Amino acid sequence: MCGIVGYIGTKAATSVLLKGLKCLEYRGYDSSGIALLNDSLFVCKKKGKIIELEKELNGLSKDLSTYTVGIAHTRWATHGEPSDLNAHPHVSSSGKIAVVHNGIIENFQILREKLALKGFKITTQTDSEIIAHLIEYYVDKYNDFLTGVFVALEKLEGTYGIVVVSRDYPDRIIAARNGSPLILGVGEGEIIIASDASAIVEYTRKVIYIDDREVVDIQRDSYQTYDLLQKQVEKPVEDIDWDIETIGKKGYDHFMLKEIFEQVESVKNTCRGRLLTETGTSRLDGLNLKPEDFSEIKRIILIACGTSWHSALIGEYLIEEYARIPVDVEYASEFRYKNPILTKSDLVIVISQSGETADTLAALREAKQKGVKVLGVTNIVGSTIARESDGGVYLHAGPEIGVASTKAFSSQVMVMIMIAIHFARRKDMSLESGQVLIEKIEKLPQLIQSMLDTAGDIKNIAEIYKNASNFLYLGRGVQFPVALEGALKLKEISYIHAEGYPAAEMKHGPIALIDENLPVVFIALKDSIYGKIVSNMQEVRARGGKIIAIATEGDNEISNYADHVIFVPDVDRMLSPILTVVPLQLLSYYIAVMRGCNVDQPRNLAKSVTVE
Ligand code: F6R
């Protein structure tokens, strides 16, 4: 998704802004640009990677080191192709105002026509350009920068995180948010504003989270926040408790590989202080549920998108199995528009790594609007979902930079396990069963290590199948969502078409695809339905399909049916997804690397999807 950085201080703005943009690269983008301000406004924009922008800047005869104010942007195209022209910042017709924008302006077409009639020259295909003209128009009309921005914002429909500078006000930056995150970093004599804290932490840990429908007027050593009615709003300054070191690659070739290998630690961090052996339950104080709430909850609705939706599906199996509460799982994008039937006895839990996904946030708001309690499961402290939920659980997985989610997924599954046991112990689960389960959960992080130790074998398997055009992933019960996740991971980073299915569904259609060119990944653990999965494997074998099996350690039979086997320690079937997903993450990673794909920033994908 697009990234924003703005700086006002005493340092050379260019280097702060370029560094900031590089911290946001992981979010995905196709062009970048910068606007620098003193008594003139200098703008440079380039299609492609930030290095192209840097090359262009370095090739100039102009001395940029004197600029101490500026804004910059990485664009991920929505309206108009990726090009130098469509890149941000956008500049108003007279060259006075420059704007960077994340989000989508839904009424841009009407505004475009109106502005054209007023004589503004529209030069790009973007929805964002009109913001610059609109602000110029109202700043001139009211002869005041802040008032002009306020009035312009009234005319915009849609979502925005914007940062604006004006040539007539060289010591100010104005920013506004509605649906697209903005964080203000407050340093000594300098302020940096960004769409993501990773662009800020090198300069300061003191931040202010700008909320929707808020505007902030920024100068070098002061700022003032307002609501859209121009009323001043006092905001708390909060501390960020991680630093730039935490998000380096630490010797790994890619962030994704580092994050896969971090899962022993990240899952440990997710459960730290939350597993209570003595009482056989989990401590999740953030849920903010009173004892009487538990008896009132008759249904839980889990809502998410993408990988987080897969962890929700696993949550459904876990909560129904342990807590015996009916669970529905919804795609956020569908839930928000279907006029969902909700009652007071429902509990909604939204799951989002970033805490900013537009559909998930809209689903949260829809559920709250209908008077239902909403909990959020997210990795990002202070994210919009975290702040708008009635309670929730942080993943504490650490920053996830690779666009394809890996460690956030295993931490989400861990949170689902802890939520399931938390509810179960309030209902029918005995102390002893709770204690046995907690003991098993505590062993999981170390068992992830044994899965990581299979990386060499998986690399060999990847070498054999790296040129396949299609893959099928099959699993049953709680392994079905793992099959979906394995398929999603492969398709998003290697661009190989992959599908996940419940294994028994194979005979209802996908079996038609099977021939010697189709690798099929089976998650075939030794459990009560093992025999059924083995039958499905035989059906694939009979048709020449190649089988990669994820099987239980000690299963001597499985190699009779599979071409390759990766063994998983013998754990409780309900807890096993946190292990079985690891070889699937590694398989996708190695295949993508062998195919020369950009693993950390796959084409067309963004880390945080803040548009519909
Ligand atoms: C896949 C992936 C996406 C996200 C989805 C939801 O690897 O990362 O499918 O899971 O966009 O994002 P969050 O969890 O941030 O709401």
Side-chain angles (χ1 to χ4, degrees):
M1 193 48 43
C2 308
I4 285 179
V5 196
Y7 177 78
I8 179 163
T10 51
K11 297 190 177 79
T14 317
S15 67
V16 178
L17 294 172
L18 288 174
K19 243 188 208 173
L21 289 186
K22 284 179 193 164
C23 294
L24 304 182
E25 271 194 300
Y26 75 95
R27 297 164 67 94
Y29 69 104
D30 46 50
S31 53
S32 62
I34 191 167
L36 299 166
L37 183 71
N38 47 26
D39 43 8
S40 67
L41 189 59
F42 166 76
V43 178
C44 184
K45 318 195 282 184
K46 283 310 277 181
K47 179 182 166 185
K49 294 288 168 196
I50 294 166
I51 185 91
E52 302 302 327
L53 178 67
E54 269 183 314
K55 273 194 222 153
E56 184 80 9
L57 293 171
N58 290 338
L60 298 169
S61 52
K62 201 174 168 63
D63 176 18
L64 299 180
S65 66
T66 54
Y67 289 96
T68 53
V69 182
I71 58 177
H73 190 260
T74 45
R75 173 175 187 249
W76 188 76
T78 55
H79 298 58
E81 58 174 14
S83 66
D84 292 357
L85 186 67
N86 287 336
H88 301 214
H90 290 292
V91 179
S92 60
S93 292
S94 73
K96 275 198 270 191
I97 301 281
V99 173
V100 290
H101 167 229
N102 286 357
I104 288 181
I105 302 304
E106 285 161 8
N107 59 338
F108 86 101
Q109 200 59 44
I110 301 170
L111 293 172
R112 214 179 150 93
E113 284 157 21
K114 285 189 179 163
L115 287 161
L117 286 175
K118 288 188 195 301
F120 286 92
K121 268 183 78 169
I122 314 286
T123 54
T124 77
Q125 300 156 302
T126 68
D127 56 332
S128 310
E129 181 192 352
I130 55 109
I131 304 173
H133 302 307
L134 203 60
I135 291 176
E136 176 176 304
Y137 177 74
Y138 287 112
V139 171
D140 283 353
K141 181 165 175 185
Y142 293 97
N143 199 22
D144 182 66
F145 191 16
L146 187 59
T147 312
V149 172
F150 273 121
V151 182
L153 293 177
E154 278 172 25
K155 315 289 173 202
L156 298 180
E157 285 169 22
T159 55
Y160 55 78
I162 57 164
V163 182
V164 193
V165 288
S166 164
R167 201 174 60 196
D168 294 342
Y169 300 85
D171 294 314
R172 274 164 86 184
I173 293 180
I174 295 180
R177 168 189 167 148
N178 186 30
S180 210
L182 280 180
I183 303 166
L184 195 75
V186 185
E188 293 289 325
E190 62 181 358
I191 290 183
I192 178 159
I193 185 153
S195 51
D196 184 321
S198 56
I200 294 176
V201 284
E202 186 174 338
Y203 304 97
T204 178
R205 305 284 181 81
K206 302 263 173 247
V207 297
I208 288 163
Y209 295 100
I210 308 299
D211 279 303
D212 277 350
R213 294 172 293 283
E214 284 183 353
V215 175
V216 56
D217 186 2
I218 307 162
Q219 300 186 27
R220 275 187 181 75
D221 44 19
S222 66
Y223 58 88
Q224 180 58 56
T225 315
Y226 300 87
D227 64 18
L228 283 184
L229 300 173
Q230 307 191 32
K231 207 169 118 239
Q232 293 192 354
V233 181
E234 294 314 317
K235 311 272 302 174
V237 179
E238 300 182 38
D239 279 318
I240 293 178
D241 61 1
W242 49 271
D243 56 32
I244 205 80
E245 278 306 299
T246 330
I247 56 175
K249 278 194 205 148
K250 294 193 177 147
Y252 287 93
D253 288 343
H254 297 95
F255 281 111
M256 182 180 178
L257 189 62
K258 174 188 149 233
E259 286 156 10
I260 292 173
F261 273 84
E262 271 173 356
Q263 289 178 105
V264 175
E265 274 313 303
S266 52
V267 169
K268 235 187 243 170
N269 288 338
T270 304
C271 351
R272 203 178 296 284
R274 288 169 164 171
L275 299 176
L276 307 178
T277 317
E278 209 175 303
T279 46
T281 187
S282 60
R283 174 191 287 140
L284 298 173
D285 298 338
L287 294 181
N288 292 338
L289 292 174
K290 296 192 279 298
E292 58 271 26
D293 293 336
F294 288 91
S295 51
E296 280 165 17
I297 295 165
K298 300 283 180 270
R299 178 174 71 143
I300 295 177
I301 303 163
L302 301 175
I303 306 177
C305 302
T307 286
S308 299
W309 186 78
H310 298 153
S311 71
L313 286 177
I314 294 172
E316 176 183 19
Y317 282 94
L318 287 161
I319 296 168
E320 292 197 341
E321 169 87 9
Y322 291 132
R324 311 302 296 156
I325 299 172
V327 176
D328 289 336
V329 178
E330 299 270 4
Y331 281 116
S333 51
E334 291 300 313
F335 181 87
R336 62 183 291 191
Y337 288 117
K338 76 174 200 185
N339 192 13
I341 301 169
L342 295 169
T343 67
K344 287 268 173 285
S345 58
D346 287 331
L347 173 70
V348 164
I349 306 179
V350 297
I351 308 174
S352 170
Q353 182 283 130
S354 61
E356 301 293 351
T357 301
D359 285 324
T360 313
L361 185 58
L364 173 157
R365 288 173 178 162
E366 177 64 19
K368 281 187 80 173
Q369 159 79 18
K370 288 193 151 61
V372 173
K373 195 166 195 120
V374 181
L375 304 180
V377 173
T378 165
N379 197 29
I380 306 297
V381 176
S383 59
T384 313
I385 287 179
R387 284 178 295 126
E388 293 198 14
S389 302
D390 298 306
V393 188
Y394 280 120
L395 301 181
H396 296 312
E400 189 180 67
I401 306 296
V403 164
S405 186
T406 52
K407 66 173 180 174
F409 175 77
S410 46
S411 287
Q412 286 168 344
V413 173
M414 180 49 88
V415 168
M416 289 295 112
I417 293 172
M418 291 192 292
I419 288 180
I421 191 168
H422 195 83
F423 278 85
R425 287 286 291 125
R426 297 273 177 175
K427 295 190 73 200
D428 300 334
M429 184 182 272
S430 69
L431 171 63
E432 198 194 341
S433 306
Q435 287 173 327
V436 170
L437 193 54
I438 292 287
E439 213 174 289
K440 291 179 183 170
I441 298 169
E442 278 173 334
K443 294 196 177 116
L444 287 173
Q446 275 325 314
L447 296 177
I448 292 177
Q449 185 56 53
S450 62
M451 300 315 303
L452 295 170
D453 294 342
T454 65
D457 296 335
I458 292 174
K459 204 169 174 178
N460 293 336
I461 297 173
E463 188 62 52
I464 298 170
Y465 297 108
K466 63 177 189 236
N467 294 321
S469 305
N470 297 287
F471 259 77
L472 202 55
Y473 286 74
L474 301 174
R476 293 192 75 157
V478 75
Q479 302 302 343
F480 158 53
V482 179
L484 293 178
E485 176 59 8
L488 178 67
K489 233 38 351 142
L490 185 71
K491 78 180 105 176
E492 65 186 340
I493 61 167
S494 74
Y495 319 137
I496 295 175
H497 171 245
E499 296 291 342
Y501 271 95
E505 275 295 302
M506 186 182 69
K507 58 186 170 296
H508 299 290
I511 198 165
L513 296 172
I514 291 168
D515 63 17
E516 61 285 1
N517 297 317
L518 185 77
V520 184
V521 178
F522 274 95
I523 309 156
L525 301 191
K526 271 272 186 194
D527 56 20
S528 58
I529 44 175
Y530 176 73
K532 313 265 181 210
I533 282 258
V534 165
S535 305
N536 296 140
M537 290 168 82
Q538 283 171 326
E539 285 159 8
V540 171
R541 272 230 138 168
R543 288 159 183 82
K546 299 286 178 266
I547 295 181
I548 302 158
I550 312 296
T552 309
E553 229 159 54
D555 177 354
N556 300 322
E557 203 187 327
I558 194 89
S559 49
N560 297 328
Y561 316 113
D563 298 275
H564 315 273
V565 184
I566 297 293
F567 287 109
V568 181
D570 189 2
V571 292
D572 189 309
R573 129 189 108 87
M574 295 305 293
L575 306 181
S576 60
I578 219 162
L579 303 183
T580 51
V581 76
V582 177
L584 306 191
Q585 295 168 340
L586 286 166
L587 183 65
S588 318
Y589 171 78
Y590 287 121
I591 290 182
V593 171
M594 287 168 192
R595 289 167 72 100
C597 300
N598 184 347
V599 172
D600 284 334
Q601 289 162 37
R603 71 182 180 208
N604 305 337
L605 291 180
K607 185 66 189 160
S608 161
V609 186
T610 52
V611 292
E612 269 197 75

